[in-house]
Amino acid sequence: MADTYTLHVAGLTRELPICKVNDHMDIAAFIMFSDVELTVACAAELLKKAPEFDVILTAEAKGIPLAYEMARQSGKYWIPARKGAKLYMREPVVIEDQSITTAGKQTLVIDKKDIAYMNGKRILIVDDVISTGGSMHALDALAAKSTGTVVGRCAALAEGDAAERKDIIFLEPLPLFFH
């Protein structure tokens, strides 16, 4: 098996390293933190595909650069769900989820004021990669605490079976590599 995977997304080509997940499967690593050009391009392409929205909701940490850039380009507000309660959160709202990229359960937290902000608004859920949908499910649960409506779920990449889903917006499929 090759040590890299060639990805063509948003008009750019990148070589992604292949990382071992377990004895039977590898994944191509997709980390947007350090690639500003790719993050900007992916945000622009997702905004072209996204329905009308008022606020972006994302999960810490890898979704943050993409969600921030989508918010910057659209001029819309964005809310990051943190991995734990922060001191600035006066009334934390907590959801637990199981993600393929996090060992064990992960906690997503936003402040009750963020729930209030989402009330009556059109919510766009954003992440870097959708795999099993665990993080999306947790973000849906946080959004459901408000009276807002989730109008779309999007990511730069859909991994494995997620690429067959019709309820998500993504730019490119990312295969799973079995050995």
Side-chain angles (χ1 to χ4, degrees), residues 14-60:
R14 296 293 191 262
E15 293 292 322
L16 303 179
I18 307 249
C19 302
K20 189 173 184 76
V21 174
N22 58 37
D23 289 338
H24 306 290
M25 182 174 57
D26 297 333
I27 62 169
F30 182 68
I31 301 172
M32 295 180 74
F33 281 130
S34 61
D35 195 326
V36 174
E37 183 182 30
L38 183 61
T39 304
V40 170
C42 287
E45 292 303 309
L46 282 171
L47 285 169
K48 290 176 188 174
K49 293 181 166 203
E52 288 292 319
F53 66 93
D54 302 307
V55 61
I56 294 170
L57 179 62
T58 194
E60 189 176 46

Side-chain angles (χ1 to χ4, degrees), residues 112-138:
K112 192 172 182 179
K113 71 175 181 53
D114 295 321
I115 299 290
Y117 184 84
M118 290 189 293
N119 282 339
K121 298 209 172 51
R122 298 168 294 181
I123 303 163
L124 182 66
I125 295 177
V126 173
D127 208 350
D128 65 329
V129 177
I130 300 173
S131 296
T132 62
S135 296
M136 287 278 161
H137 180 71

Side-chain angles (χ1 to χ4, degrees), residues 67-168:
Y68 168 81
E69 183 59 23
M70 289 176 72
R72 189 190 69 76
Q73 289 182 28
S74 67
K76 304 292 173 94
Y77 191 80
W78 71 288
I79 298 169
R82 301 297 184 174
K83 290 183 178 179
K86 303 297 179 192
L87 292 176
Y88 64 81
M89 295 178 178
R90 295 183 187 233
E91 296 180 69
V93 177
V94 180
I95 297 290
E96 284 190 348
D97 104 276
Q98 183 68 48
S99 170
I100 194 172
T101 59
T102 303
K105 289 201 183 269
Q106 99 176 334
T107 301
L108 292 179
V109 185
I110 61 176
D111 194 65
K112 192 172 182 179
K113 71 175 181 53
D114 295 321
I115 299 290
Y117 184 84
M118 290 189 293
N119 282 339
K121 298 209 172 51
R122 298 168 294 181
I123 303 163
L124 182 66
I125 295 177
V126 173
D127 208 350
D128 65 329
V129 177
I130 300 173
S131 296
T132 62
S135 296
M136 287 278 161
H137 180 71
L139 290 167
D140 276 333
L142 282 172
K145 301 277 185 187
S146 76
T147 62
T149 302
V150 174
V151 295
R153 294 160 191 84
C154 63
L157 301 173
E159 183 175 57
D161 292 341
E164 304 301 319
R165 291 177 53 178
K166 302 298 181 210
D167 64 324
I168 59 174

